[in-house]
Each structure stands twice: as structure tokens, then as C-alpha cells.
Amino acid sequence: MKKIDKILILYIIVITALYHFFKLNFFKENEVIISFIRDFSILFIAIIMLIRNREKIRMSKISWLLSILLFIQILIGLINGESILKSMYDIRYFIIWPSIIFISYNIVNSKEQYYMILRVMKNIAIAIGILGIYFKITNNLDFLVVRFGEYGVKSILPTHIEYGLLMFLGCAISIYLQQEKTYKKNIYITVIEFIIFTIGVYFSFSRLSYLAYSTFIVIFFNFKIIKNKILRIIFLLLELSTIIIVIPNLINEIDNVNLFSTASLLDRIYNIWLNLNVTNKLIGNGFGSIGVNNSVLNSQFDLMLTDNLFVRIYYTLGFLGLATIVLGFILMILKSNKNLFLIALVISLALAALFGDIFTMIPVIPYLYIIFGAILKLTTIKEKIN
């Protein structure tokens, strides 16, 4: 990894995690400008990588097909979009952030570099996690109720959901590095990290984070401990069923939000998800038609379509867009030689996506794209060696 490449990848890791910190005072009044600077700097890096590696780009026929299909759907989404500003804000999740996969693929060249990237992500998660725990314990910040705080952790990450998901990702990376034979790590440090991340996930009071955290641990250790494939599947189904039933009720006991009342989950299902006003089910309503600030229909509650990632993609790009993106993730998993760490991450976040628009979650999704690109590159290097 060249020095400039190391600087670029570290820039992406840091800027996606800490840019909200700079929203204090002057920067806080210019959030849109700062976010555009962040995102288009990532796009600029991707373009530089494309120019530098244009002769090395190799893709399978199905990868080209999915890429072309998604590109066409994005163009249609732009044409159908409500406005240029809304479309540009929305398109970051479908073009700019995914371009991080390409950047990571062309920067990472060894497992040592991959471990270095994971360590930086984990250390950022630890730092933010400790801050969150401190503010909760000292009551210096209404950490669990107020979604946007004036100071502290809420000025680093926009909501408690991002905080909880970052704690989940930090825990996943810590567990993964500990069991890697080529990566030496003190078990006591891992235990301390695990405790910090677990407390952080708990203090987030986010069902997305609870689901992702529990699911990852179940999947990862099931595949590591249980060798019989039939028993593995049976235990996995039982454990995932338990997680899906227990976690929502656990949250109900914690913050008195009944997820199975008409005030929450069932209201979303019956009054929103099953009654979407999609003008074209095949290609959707276009970019900018839905977002964090767009409530729809005549629900008696202020519910957002973005409470479900799959609904958001369907509403924006239709069935074609949803199928293309899901197939794209499946293809990357297959190309990664069914990497267990990646599979556990994707399944965990896919379950969480039933309750939130995780495409917009920073820094977890950009970090996932970095991990995707690095694993795909390491798989390619291994194949060339073999």
C-alpha cells in the first residue's frame, strides 16, 4: 500500500465517522454543504482510482450485467426524481458510498493492510463507545431520548441508532480478529473491548443494534463451533427465531414502546408497507421521493418509510432495483469464497434493515463497503497465487 493510498483510505474511515463532530457551532449550520463535501470527496477518490487502474479492471459477465442494469435504473430514478437537490442527496447511497468498494479493492494488497484498516475502525468505535457510556453514566447528555444533541456523542454520530450499530460493528471486528490465526491479539484486551461494545449496544436502546449484535454472534459462533451442517441449520433457525421474538419484547420492557401494537410495527405493516403509492412497481417513484423527512399516507403516527430499507429501495427503484441490489450483495458474498465474517455481517444488517434504513447509517455502511472491497481483493490475490 502506497503512502497516498493509506492516507486516502484513512481519510474515508475518519471522515465518515467523525464529520458530525465538526457540526458544532459554525459547521452545525452548514450540515448539507459539509455532507456534500464529504461525499463528493469520496467520489473524487473513486474517479482517481478508476483512472489509475483502468487497465486492470476485470469483471465477470454477470457483474457487468448487474452493473449496467443498476446504472440504467439509477438514470431512470434520476429522471423520475422530485428535484435535483433531493435526487443528489438520495443518490449518494446508491452511487457514491458503494464506490468505496472499488476504492478499497484497489488499495488493499495484503492481509496486514486489511488488519490495519479493521484496527482503525475498531479503535474509532472504542473511542466513540467510551464517550457514549461516559455521557450516559454522568447524565451530561440525554443520550437515549434526544435524537440530536448539542454536544458530545450526538454531535459525532447523528442518532443513537448509528451509535448502536457502530458498537455492533466494533464488537464484530474484535471477535473476528481474535479468532484469526494470522493475527496475534491478547485475549484480555478482546474481553475488555467486548464489554465496552456490549454496554454501548445496550445504551443505544436501538432494536436495529440489538438484532444485528445478537444475530452476528449467533451466526459466527454457530459456524465456528457446530460442524454438522444439519444441526447447524436447526440451531441457527431456532436461535434467530428466538432473537426476533425476544429482542423486541426486551426493548418493550426497557423503554415502554410496544413494538407489536398498532402504534408501531403493525401500523407500519398494515397502514404503510402494504398500501404504498408506487406509480410504477417495476421502476419505482425515483430519487428524492422518500427520505428521513418524508412521512406518507394518513397514518395516525409520524412514521417514515425509511423504517425499512427494502421498502425504501422498492419505493425508489421498484422491484427491478430491489432485485438488482440484493443480487449484487449475494454475488459479492459468493465471490468472497463465502467469507464467514462477511456473511455474518450482511445477514445481521439485513435483519436490522427490516426496522431501519441502514443504507443511510454512517459510518457502518461505508465501513461495510471497505470490508467488502478488501475481502474481494484478498480473495483475488489468493486465487492468483493458487
Side-chain angles (χ1 to χ4, degrees):
M1 184 185 293
K2 298 178 182 178
K3 188 175 182 179
I4 185 64
D5 290 336
K6 186 180 292 187
I7 291 173
L8 291 176
I9 199 73
L10 291 177
Y11 167 79
I12 294 173
I13 291 173
V14 173
I15 201 68
T16 52
L18 302 182
Y19 110 96
H20 280 273
F21 176 77
F22 302 102
K23 285 167 58 179
L24 293 173
N25 301 324
F26 166 77
F27 293 102
K28 191 173 181 182
E29 300 173 0
N30 298 275
E31 176 185 357
V32 174
I33 296 174
I34 296 173
S35 64
F36 270 99
I37 292 173
R38 176 200 63 195
D39 294 332
F40 280 93
S41 66
I42 291 173
L43 183 60
F44 176 76
I45 294 171
I47 292 171
I48 295 297
M49 287 293 163
L50 178 62
I51 294 172
R52 283 175 51 183
N53 300 278
R54 59 187 181 279
E55 296 178 356
K56 301 178 183 178
I57 297 175
R58 298 289 184 273
M59 293 174 63
S60 63
K61 291 180 179 179
I62 188 168
S63 297
W64 276 113
L65 179 62
L66 287 175
S67 299
I68 293 171
L69 185 59
L70 183 59
F71 179 73
I72 293 172
Q73 291 164 358
I74 288 173
L75 285 179
I76 295 172
L78 283 172
I79 294 171
N80 292 336
E82 284 194 5
S83 68
I84 295 177
L85 184 60
K86 284 188 176 181
S87 295
M88 293 304 292
Y89 191 87
D90 209 14
I91 205 171
R92 71 179 69 185
Y93 310 125
F94 296 88
I95 291 183
I96 299 176
W97 290 10
S99 69
I100 294 175
I101 296 175
F102 179 74
I103 296 172
S104 177
Y105 182 88
N106 287 287
I107 285 179
V108 176
N109 291 303
S110 68
K111 258 200 169 181
E112 289 72 25
Q113 294 169 0
Y114 175 52
Y115 291 150
M116 180 272 292
I117 289 171
L118 291 181
R119 283 200 308 271
V120 174
M121 292 179 184
K122 176 175 61 67
N123 291 338
I124 287 175
I126 289 173
I128 294 177
I130 292 173
L131 277 176
I133 294 170
Y134 169 76
F135 282 121
K136 168 57 184 172
I137 293 174
T138 58
N139 290 319
N140 286 337
L141 179 69
D142 197 358
F143 186 68
L144 306 179
V145 179
V146 179
R147 293 177 65 86
F148 295 92
E150 292 293 326
Y151 304 100
V153 169
K154 287 301 178 61
S155 295
I156 296 176
L157 298 180
T159 72
H160 65 289
I161 300 173
E162 274 91 343
Y163 174 83
L165 285 178
L166 181 60
M167 295 303 97
F168 144 71
L169 184 62
C171 186
I173 291 173
S174 182
I175 292 171
Y176 166 71
L177 289 177
Q178 177 60 48
Q179 59 83 47
E180 277 287 273
K181 295 179 181 179
T182 55
Y183 182 84
K184 295 181 181 180
K185 187 178 178 185
N186 191 309
I187 183 65
Y188 298 108
I189 295 177
T190 302
V191 171
I192 293 172
E193 291 173 352
F194 181 80
I195 293 172
I196 292 172
F197 290 133
T198 301
I199 295 173
V201 168
Y202 174 78
F203 278 165
S204 74
F205 281 17
S206 159
R207 58 177 175 267
L208 278 75
S209 309
Y210 290 176
L211 281 170
Y213 173 87
S214 305
T215 304
F216 178 87
I217 290 177
V218 163
I219 293 174
F220 195 79
F221 285 104
N222 249 14
F223 278 79
K224 285 291 180 183
I225 297 172
I226 303 174
K227 302 302 179 183
N228 185 288
K229 291 183 178 180
I230 297 176
L231 284 177
R232 184 187 292 167
I233 292 173
I234 292 173
F235 275 103
L236 188 60
L237 291 175
L238 287 173
E239 288 159 349
L240 290 179
S241 300
T242 303
I243 289 171
I244 293 172
I245 294 172
V246 169
I247 294 300
N249 285 285
L250 174 64
I251 298 175
N252 178 38
E253 293 298 323
I254 292 175
D255 60 4
N256 294 320
V257 176
N258 189 346
L259 299 179
F260 296 104
S261 73
T262 55
S264 186
L265 185 60
L266 291 182
D267 187 66
R268 287 174 173 84
I269 294 173
Y270 291 116
N271 294 334
I272 295 183
W273 300 349
L274 296 180
N275 294 284
L276 293 176
N277 182 23
V278 182
T279 54
N280 190 313
K281 290 181 172 56
L282 195 62
I283 61 175
N285 288 358
F287 290 115
S289 58
I290 179 176
V292 176
N293 297 319
N294 294 90
S295 56
V296 295
L297 302 178
N298 294 318
S299 171
Q300 57 180 314
F301 305 100
D302 186 24
L303 300 176
M304 310 299 173
L305 277 176
T306 47
D307 285 327
N308 186 308
L309 170 63
F310 304 104
V311 172
R312 181 208 177 104
I313 297 174
Y314 165 66
Y315 195 85
T316 304
L317 297 178
F319 279 121
L320 270 179
L322 182 59
T324 303
I325 291 172
V326 171
L327 285 174
F329 274 95
I330 292 174
L331 179 64
M332 283 190 286
I333 289 174
L334 294 176
K335 281 185 168 292
S336 70
N337 284 343
K338 300 177 183 177
N339 183 280
L340 177 58
F341 177 54
L342 200 56
I343 291 173
L345 279 179
V346 171
I347 293 177
S348 302
L349 290 171
L351 271 181
L354 294 172
F355 297 95
D357 182 8
I358 63 168
F359 259 22
T360 66
M361 301 296 173
I362 58 173
V364 172
I365 294 305
Y367 282 7
L368 179 66
Y369 291 149
I370 292 175
I371 293 170
F372 253 127
I375 290 177
L376 289 173
K377 179 61 170 292
L378 294 176
T379 302
T380 303
I381 293 173
K382 188 177 179 180
E383 287 175 352
K384 287 180 179 178
I385 294 174
N386 293 338

